[in-house]
Amino acid sequence: MEQLSWLPAGMAAPSMKERQVCWGARDDYWRCLEESAEDASRCQQLRKSFESSCPQQWIKYFDKRRDYLKFKEKFEAGQFQPSKSPANS
């Protein structure tokens, strides 16, 4: 996979090819997580590829997006269990 060097914040936006490389690396990493039952240690090389292929802000966004999608999936399936610790008021 091609290694990209990203310009500092405020510089030119990624080209279409750079975006496609980033999205592909993200998809490969996410697929590995799914297939490895969320065991991130099995996907370290793909994570490094994801991080080297995408701008840092995109990585943060994609990580948050995946967390949200996993939460939503559990919630909609009725598997979400709220914290049972007492609320401090």
Side-chain angles (χ1 to χ4, degrees):
M1 176 171 269
E2 180 180 340
Q3 296 297 314
L4 304 174
S5 61
W6 294 95
L7 296 172
M11 300 303 279
S15 69
M16 180 184 292
K17 181 179 180 189
E18 290 168 331
R19 291 191 305 268
Q20 290 172 337
V21 169
C22 172
W23 295 332
R26 174 205 59 196
D27 293 347
D28 291 345
Y29 174 60
W30 285 12
R31 189 176 308 108
C32 179
L33 290 175
E34 291 293 325
E35 293 170 356
S36 302
E38 302 299 318
D39 182 0
S41 66
R42 296 182 183 184
C43 306
Q44 288 179 349
Q45 191 61 39
L46 290 171
R47 176 68 189 196
K48 288 178 185 179
S49 176
F50 171 48
E51 290 177 351
S52 69
S53 299
C54 299
Q56 188 62 39
Q57 285 299 100
W58 288 24
I59 294 166
K60 288 180 188 177
Y61 169 80
F62 288 142
D63 286 345
K64 288 179 184 178
R65 177 78 178 152
R66 186 169 193 283
D67 288 345
Y68 168 75
L69 291 173
K70 298 307 285 178
F71 165 79
K72 182 180 173 189
E73 183 180 287
K74 284 183 179 182
F75 186 81
E76 289 176 346
Q79 299 171 346
F80 175 71
Q81 298 296 321
S83 174
K84 297 191 186 230
S85 63
N88 294 338
S89 37

